Structure formats: structure tokens, C-alpha cells
Amino acid sequence: MKALERTDDVAALSAIARDLRIDILTMLNASGSGHSGGSLSAIDILTALYFSRMDHSPLYPRGKDRDRFVLSKGHAAPALYAALARAGYFDRSHLLSLRKLNAMLSGHPFAPSTPGVEISTGSLGQGLSLAVGMALAGRLDGWKKSVFAMTGDGELQEGQVWEAAMAAAHYKLDNLVAFVDHNGLQIDGAVAEVMGVDPVDEKFAAFGWATRTVNGHDMAEILDAIDWGVAQKGKPSVIVAMTVKGKGVSFMEGKASWHGTAPSDEQLAAAIAELTLA
Amino acid sequence: MTIQTSDKPVVEKKSLRDAYGATLAELGASHPAVVVLDADLSGSTRTATFAKKYPDRFFNMGVAEANMIGVAAGMAVSGKIPFASTFAVFATGRAWEQIRQSVCLGNVNVKVVASHGGITVGEDGPSHQAMEDIALMRALPHMGVIVPADAAETASAVRFAADHVGPLYIRLARDKFPVVHREATPFRLGKGEVLRNGPDVALVGCGLMTSTIIEAADRLADEGIMATVVNMATIKPIDEELLITLATTCGAIVTAEEHSIIGGLGSAVAEVIGENIPVPVIKVGMKSEFGKSGPPEALLDYFGLNAAAVIEAAKKALALKNG
Ligand SMILES: Cc1ncc(C[n+]2csc(CCOP(=O)(O)OP(=O)(O)O)c2C)c(N)n1
Ligand SMILES: [Mg+2]
């Protein structure tokens, strides 16, 4: 099983990520609401997963022998939808009906309506548990594949994340690779000011995980870290991705105010101009 | 309507959670996809019976109920049939939002089976007595809610759950319950069970209170009041057709549950009756208050969860009907 479009070429992947950023902003503009900042900070990692490292296929979205991805920070749904549409899970035209009544694409990932969405998320703190369940089931059934999950950094304030972290290490889930999108921001401001979570890597290490910190916008580093995570034996692995919220659009970068805001027509045009030039 | 005279109220008691553990262990053989999760209460919930036979398919998640439900959901979307168990307060209260988001929203095939529902938890007191769990689960779309009356019905409900696709909540108890069913019959979701017919008033119960309404019906019969007795083991989806028939034939209904009168069986019945065929519905159950420590029998009497309370309610319902 292979995605229709797959490459190990860093430049090609970066180009895909650029296109997906434009898709994200375009669909958010069309819906008039939704989460820009956290979608843009996550998209390079999703690009690396869906177009290079994950073994998956839109032809067999429920095939047993596939890698799985759980978007625990469900509000970054636009990033997931952009990747799934590009990978061929559904027609790109759906992107423009994001959040509309009876559309395929709900405000947060909703598995029953959207091909390629493994499981429904949106309430923070729950996705790592879901991934632990998948990884345990996979081990029982002898899957060779991995379960990937992504949480936000503010999301780490949820106690359930640490229940799941404990369980993953207890059950030695080396088929589980988690990402923390460590963009330093949440809704009310800087994570460090709202409720500090650092040092994230040391916390996971103390829970028994293998940890690695990368620049979450450097494609080569991301690819390398995924390979590292998949290769771990006897423990789950976490990749702490240092990211910039709103990455790629200068007026959104590092601004908590862009967490849950969609771009206007003018802002979209400016953003696309900037992304196209870069 | 025919009036059947029943046997004397049965006093033989059997444990629902024992039946749960034993049935799980059976399912282990017939259903390779069944997996069981517990949150450090496997001895109490009796999932330990399964764990002993199928250690590879049993997962102790520690005292972490929220994570347990999420893990169960992840297993379910990966083809497993997870049964997740702990006490009812923790299963439905601590992990309510996990059941909402990770299980019900996506209609994910997780079975939440809780022991220690109701006041008969006894001496452990109100922190451990779930009087709101049925209401909490009933409010969730896609969730089916089952409250078995005895051990035999527990076994059939658990067997049914393994084959049913979709979320289910099964509420069990710490205490042994009087035997209502001599033998297990296949469980029918959404179907009330008429145990006895009588024209004057319908008594509708679930869980422990099913045996209580049988006792109340016997005593009412001594006074010449003939009651229909219904075991309503499925609270959701509730048997609307049967309830409307009861309202038509009896014209007065009493509900009885070991649960708050807010949001449980009584509410479910009143909702159907109020919208279709208004007749008096009197609810026997816990008022909006917490329980206390004490022996189960004493607590049932203290909080009016007994045959005397059902008889009083039946007379009130009759008075309203004849009003
Ligand atoms: C349980 C829960 N509480 C609150 C919210 C509302 N909410 C949505 S996003 C968010 C902040 C998340 O911050 P972070 O995890 O850092 O995400 P990111 O910066 O990647 O967008 C909050 C509080 C929610 N979705 N779920
Ligand atoms: Mg953040």
C-alpha cells in the first residue's frame, strides 16, 4: 500500500507543504472560521507523514496493514483535511465546504463522515489514549505498522495525556510515535505563562519514553526523526517539534490571536502572495 | 387482560458481577476479538475471571479511567470488542466526556460495564454510590443503556453486547440480587419484559427494583389491586410501544429504580407517556440527594427504595387515574 504521491525528496516535500498551507488558508477563508495558527505549525510534519513516511493508501482507507495517524489536537483539522485531500482520500472540492451544514468536513475531525480520519477528536487530551489503544490492538494482531499521534503543547496540560504516556511506556509500545507540536502558544497566550509544560522531553523521558527534539519546520530533520521513532525498541517515542504557530505567513507567525481566526479575503491574498514568493 | 398468579417472591440471590466475569470468560473462547480493560478494580468488577483465562487480552490501565476509555476506543476502531469496567461512578462520571468524545461521537464499538451502581454499594458511602450514571449515559447519542434485573439477565445482556455493534452501558451492582429469571433467555435490546398482567396499574422497574415491584405487586394483590409488572432492562432505547400499551390498558404507571428520579428510568417513561398518552406516572427512586454509609437493606428502606414505597406510589397513581 502506497500513497499515490510519495517522495523522500526534501525539496519536493517542502513544495507540497507550501501547497498545503495555501489549501489550509483557502479553506479557512471559505468557511469564515477555524484554526489557522495550529494548522500551519503542524503541516510540515503531516506532509512528511502522509507523503513520505506513512504507509497508507486512499484505496484501502480501512486496510489492516497500514500506518495510522491520530490528530489529538483536533482543531488543526484543516491541516489533516488538506493532506488527506492531496493524498486522494476525497475530492479537493470538499475543502471549500469546510464547516458547512452537512458537509463532509466537520470543524474537528469526525471519522464517520471523512475518509482517512481514523477516529474523531476535538476535545483535547484524548488522542494519545486512542493511539495507545490502536497500538495495543496492533500488537495483539501482529501488525507490522506504526501508530502516529500529534498533540499540541498546551494540550499537554490535560492530565489524560500523562495517563496515556504512563500506559504507553508500561506496555512498551514501540509501535507508537507521538509528536508534540511545541509552538509555545495556546489560546490565552504563551504556554509558559498560562501553565508551563517545559521541559517536555524530560517529562516524557521520565515517563519512560524515548525522546528527540527537532525543528518542526525542517523537513530533513522531521524525516530523520520519524525513522528514529519507528526504529525504537521496547519503548514509545516522542518527537518534540519546535514550531512556530502560524508558520509561513508573517502576519500570523507567533501570534496567539491567530489561533482560532480565519483569514479575510485580503489576508488570504497576502498570505498566498507571501507563500508563493518564498 | 389475563391475571396470572405468580410464585411467592423469590429470595434466592445471585451476584450480577459474578455472572459478568463468568460470561466474559465464556466470550473469551467464542469471541477472539473480545478484550477487557479495568482500572485497578478487576477483583471487584470480576473482570479478573477473564484476566486469569486470557491474560494477553486483559489490560489493567491502573487508576486512570479517562485513559482507559480512550484506549478502549482506539482498540475498537482497530477491530477489537473492548469491555471496559470499573465502578459506575468512575466509569460514567470521571470518564463521561471521554465516553462522549471518543466513544459515542464516532459511534465506536466500546462496551462500558460498571459494577457498583446504586445505593446498595452500602458501607463505602455516597462517594461510591452511583445514583446518576443512568442519566449520564442516557443523555449520550448512540449509547444504549442496559440495567439487568438479575444474574441470568446479566449473562444474556453481556453475551448480547459482544455481538451488538455500537456503544453500550451495562449497569451492575455490588450486592447480590434476588433471582427473577430462572434461566437465561436471549437478551432483546429495547424490549420490556412483562412478568405479570393486571388491569389496575403498571409497575415498571429495572435492576434491583424489578424484584421489588414483584413483591409490591403481590402485596397489592392481597388488597385487590391487580398490577401489571414489567422488567424494563433496556432504559435506552426505551420500549415506547410497550409503554403506550401499558398506559392504554392500565391508565396509571409507577416506575421504580435504584437511581435518581432525575434522568433515569422514570424520566424515560414519563417522556414517552407525556408525549403520547398522558396518564399518571409516579416515580420511585432517589430524590436529588446523595446516599449515606450503611448496610444496603437499611439504605434501601431509608431512601424509600422498597416495596412499601412502590405500593404507596401505586395508590397515588390509582387515585390520580380515578381522580
Ligand atoms: C478539553 C478541551 N478544552 C478546551 C478546548 C478548547 N481549545 C481548543 S484549542 C485550545 C488550545 C490548545 O493549545 P495547543 O495544544 O498548544 O494547540 P496549538 O497551539 O497547536 O493550536 C483550547 C483550549 C478543547 N478543544 N478541548
Ligand atoms: Mg500550542
Side-chain angles (χ1 to χ4, degrees):
Chain A
M1 279 194 296
K2 298 282 165 189
L4 301 184
E5 181 183 22
R6 268 176 76 98
T7 174
D8 295 337
D9 183 75
V10 166
L13 287 166
S14 297
I16 295 175
R18 195 257 330 267
D19 291 354
L20 296 183
R21 283 193 160 84
I22 293 173
D23 285 349
I24 289 167
L25 294 163
T26 304
M27 77 176 99
L28 284 165
N29 166 264
S31 77
S33 72
H35 298 83
S36 303
S39 295
L40 294 174
S41 62
I43 195 61
D44 292 307
I45 294 164
L46 266 70
T47 301
L49 286 171
Y50 277 93
F51 300 99
S52 182
R53 290 313 195 247
M54 259 170 48
D55 202 350
H56 69 110
S57 167
L59 301 177
Y60 309 101
R62 291 281 171 236
K64 266 245 157 175
D65 210 18
R66 69 186 194 278
D67 287 328
R68 288 158 167 79
F69 175 71
V70 178
L71 183 65
S72 190
K73 44 168 275 185
H75 57 278
L80 180 59
Y81 296 157
L84 290 174
R86 173 114 180 190
Y89 283 86
F90 47 82
D91 195 85
R92 276 171 52 82
S93 61
H94 286 287
L95 299 181
L96 294 178
S97 55
L98 171 71
R99 291 174 166 245
K100 302 262 194 296
L101 183 63
N102 290 328
M104 176 197 279
L105 304 180
S106 182
H108 292 78
F110 182 58
S113 75
T114 311
V117 172
E118 296 282 351
I119 192 160
S120 311
T121 51
S123 171
L124 293 170
Q126 303 193 27
L128 201 55
S129 301
L130 302 171
V132 167
M134 292 178 182
L136 280 170
R139 173 185 293 171
L140 278 178
D141 286 352
W143 302 343
K144 300 281 178 290
K145 302 299 172 189
S146 304
V147 180
F148 298 94
M150 179 188 278
T151 76
D153 49 2
E155 185 180 5
L156 299 180
Q157 293 152 358
E158 285 285 357
Q160 188 184 343
V161 173
W162 302 100
E163 296 182 6
M166 211 181 305
H170 178 82
Y171 284 108
K172 302 186 168 54
L173 296 178
D174 52 17
N175 55 348
L176 174 63
V177 181
F179 291 89
V180 175
D181 183 358
H182 201 353
N183 58 29
L185 293 175
Q186 56 190 114
I187 294 184
D188 280 351
V191 174
E193 280 165 29
V194 174
M195 181 55 65
V197 299
D198 283 327
V200 172
D201 54 345
E202 288 178 29
K203 285 193 170 81
F204 274 96
F207 275 74
W209 289 54
T211 71
R212 183 149 177 183
T213 300
V214 299
N215 174 347
H217 302 303
D218 182 313
M219 202 53 81
E221 275 190 42
I222 298 169
L223 295 177
D224 200 46
I226 296 172
D227 296 342
W228 163 86
V230 170
Q232 292 305 306
K233 290 279 167 259
K235 45 166 85 170
S237 51
V238 63
I239 298 165
V240 180
M242 306 306 291
T243 55
V244 175
K245 205 156 174 169
K247 175 71 179 178
V249 181
S250 52
F251 59 89
M252 294 183 175
E253 284 187 3
K255 294 211 175 67
S257 56
W258 276 100
H259 169 86
T261 315
S264 67
D265 292 348
E266 296 75 44
Q267 289 166 329
L268 175 66
I272 292 178
E274 186 180 343
L275 286 163
T276 316
L277 270 182
Chain B
M1 234 178 195
T2 56
I3 298 167
Q4 302 167 354
T5 46
S6 82
D7 302 329
K8 275 261 159 233
V10 280
V11 288
E12 187 195 347
K13 292 187 174 184
K14 280 191 176 167
S15 159
L16 280 64
R17 47 191 175 132
D18 285 352
Y20 173 49
T23 309
L24 274 183
E26 275 172 42
L27 288 170
S30 57
H31 293 65
V34 164
V35 291
V36 178
L37 302 91
D38 206 301
D40 198 30
L41 287 167
S42 62
S44 291
T45 62
R46 303 294 197 260
T47 59
T49 311
F50 178 92
K52 258 189 222 104
K53 267 183 99 171
Y54 301 97
D56 295 347
R57 282 148 64 190
F58 174 78
F59 299 90
N60 203 324
M61 302 314 296
V63 198
E65 297 78 11
N67 181 54
M68 173 172 73
I69 295 298
V71 170
M75 290 174 154
V77 300
S78 308
K80 300 295 168 197
I81 307 171
F83 283 76
S85 291
T86 175
F87 290 176
V89 172
F90 313 133
T92 66
R94 174 67 60 97
W96 184 83
E97 208 255 338
Q98 283 73 20
I99 296 175
R100 181 183 186 278
Q101 165 74 50
S102 291
V103 177
C104 290
L105 180 57
N107 200 9
V108 174
N109 192 26
V110 171
K111 320 299 167 187
V112 179
V113 183
S115 70
H116 291 59
I119 197 88
T120 48
V121 163
E123 287 81 354
D124 271 351
S127 62
H128 284 54
Q129 294 160 346
M131 306 308 292
E132 315 82 10
D133 55 319
I134 299 172
L136 287 169
M137 293 297 99
R138 196 169 75 86
L140 291 171
H142 294 311
M143 181 59 98
V145 178
I146 300 175
V147 184
D150 65 2
E153 192 166 46
T154 299
S156 2
V158 171
R159 265 182 228 118
F160 167 85
D163 292 322
H164 172 84
V165 180
L168 283 179
Y169 174 59
I170 303 182
R171 183 211 218 202
L172 308 178
R174 171 178 170 272
D175 235 17
K176 294 178 176 173
F177 284 5
V179 170
V180 173
H181 304 88
R182 287 273 148 217
E183 57 205 53
T185 48
F187 189 81
R188 294 163 73 210
L189 188 74
K191 291 288 168 207
E193 178 191 19
V194 181
L195 298 172
R196 187 185 299 191
N197 282 306
D200 298 327
V201 60
L203 311 179
V204 180
C206 65
L208 177 65
M209 298 304 280
T210 292
S211 56
T212 305
I213 59 174
I214 296 171
E215 183 192 340
D218 284 341
R219 286 163 58 183
L220 284 166
D222 293 343
E223 298 183 43
I225 300 170
M226 297 304 172
T228 292
V229 178
V230 174
N231 173 38
M232 197 64 94
T234 307
I235 314 296
K236 188 185 177 191
I238 194 90
D239 190 345
E240 296 200 14
E241 199 185 317
L242 174 60
L243 288 173
I244 291 167
T245 306
L246 295 177
T248 312
T249 53
C250 299
I253 297 176
V254 171
T255 63
E257 61 199 302
E258 193 195 346
H259 180 271
S260 170
I261 52 168
I262 298 175
L265 170 68
S267 297
V269 171
E271 285 159 16
V272 173
I273 298 302
E275 292 196 356
N276 290 284
I277 173 166
V279 301
V281 176
I282 309 291
K283 303 194 287 276
V284 173
M286 194 81 168
K287 308 291 178 281
S288 188
E289 61 182 316
F290 289 109
K292 292 175 185 295
S293 280
E297 286 295 330
L299 289 169
L300 289 169
D301 286 337
Y302 182 88
F303 287 105
L305 301 165
N306 55 16
V310 173
I311 290 166
E312 194 186 317
K315 290 179 178 169
K316 186 173 169 192
L318 273 173
L320 285 169
K321 164 184 163 181
N322 299 326

